[in-house]
Amino acid sequence: MQLDLMRVFEGYVRNYHTFNLSVHHGKHSFTMTEIEYFSRLGSMLGYYPFTEDTCNGKRRAMDLTWWGSYSYEEDYWHDFVLHLERENYFKKDEETLDKLFADEEPTPRHAIGILNVRNGARADELLKRAKSMCRLDEALLVFRTYSSGKKQPYFDEVLAYRLRKSKVVDERRASVTSIEGTLFMKLAD
């Protein structure tokens, strides 16, 4: 099954209010809630999700993986559907891309990276780097950033880029608002 990662992003945006995250939650709450969302999504699509997966100790731990059904033999999953990395810390953005696009076996069919970045200029730098590294047929980079320049305790813009190998084939933006402290996302027109 070929995933439409931009449709996955649109669902993430539409459902963000159900996470019940507020400006008062810490970074760990955001990470765990979002990983759990994608874990449940993978299960609903019929995949086997694993958190902190190491591919039987052969790779660095990955935040989340989805593995295809009916492909388990000899104590090993063979159908590596998705690798997701989620990072809060600005200083780990390049490391996260390295991990997401590592040239290692097994190779996922899809990848999603969700990173907090300081601003749109940094997102552009990371996108350029990702394009030079991506060898996957389908990857989605989601950059959560502070574009308004206002001093506030939450990101206010989300930039999404769908890549096919070294090319950006689609992009979307979403805005983030806080209503009584709870965060909501809305796709830009």
Side-chain angles (χ1 to χ4, degrees):
M1 174 172 140
Q2 182 68 21
L3 288 173
D4 181 341
L5 292 182
M6 198 52 77
R7 182 160 282 191
V8 169
F9 172 72
E10 291 168 358
Y12 165 77
V13 169
R14 276 196 301 273
N15 288 291
Y16 203 82
H17 70 281
T18 66
F19 298 176
N20 204 26
L21 291 168
S22 74
V23 298
H24 307 293
H25 281 92
K27 293 178 192 288
H28 185 72
S29 293
F30 279 85
T31 299
M32 297 313 297
T33 301
E34 291 180 6
I35 288 173
E36 178 60 27
Y37 168 80
F38 284 101
S39 179
R40 284 191 325 268
L41 177 61
S43 290
M44 288 186 278
L45 292 173
Y47 299 114
Y48 293 92
F50 291 86
T51 55
E52 291 300 312
D53 190 5
T54 62
C55 292
N56 292 335
K58 296 179 180 174
R59 291 183 70 156
R60 294 191 311 183
M62 298 171 277
D63 288 343
L64 178 71
T65 57
W66 292 353
W67 296 85
S69 54
Y70 311 112
S71 60
Y72 182 79
E73 67 184 56
E74 298 179 22
D75 294 328
Y76 189 76
W77 293 93
H78 292 279
D79 187 14
F80 191 4
V81 177
L82 177 88
H83 172 191
L84 180 136
E85 287 296 321
R86 169 72 178 77
E87 185 55 59
N88 286 311
Y89 297 104
F90 299 145
K91 64 184 176 187
K92 289 188 170 185
D93 54 9
E94 290 183 19
E95 178 184 334
T96 301
L97 291 182
D98 290 343
K99 193 173 178 184
L100 195 63
F101 297 122
D103 193 15
E104 296 179 17
E105 291 295 327
T107 303
R109 287 186 284 162
H110 307 89
I112 298 175
I114 303 172
L115 296 87
N116 288 355
V117 296
R118 290 188 192 282
N119 53 43
R122 182 61 177 160
D124 290 343
E125 290 172 24
L126 293 170
L127 181 61
K128 183 178 178 181
R129 180 179 169 97
K131 288 180 355 185
S132 72
M133 300 169 69
C134 182
R135 293 173 196 5
L136 302 176
D137 290 332
E138 193 82 8
L140 178 70
L141 291 177
V142 178
F143 299 117
R144 299 158 25 128
T145 188
Y146 306 89
S147 65
S148 69
K150 298 177 191 171
K151 188 170 181 142
Q152 60 196 24
Y154 63 92
F155 57 94
D156 60 359
E157 184 175 44
V158 179
L159 312 169
Y161 300 93
R162 186 171 62 149
L163 288 82
R164 287 199 179 127
K165 300 205 187 274
S166 63
K167 297 193 183 327
V168 174
V169 295
D170 198 3
E171 60 185 82
R172 297 293 306 264
R173 291 180 183 267
S175 59
V176 180
T177 57
S178 169
I179 301 174
E180 295 183 12
T182 301
L183 297 178
F184 294 84
M185 278 193 211
K186 180 182 178 204
L187 288 169
D189 296 329

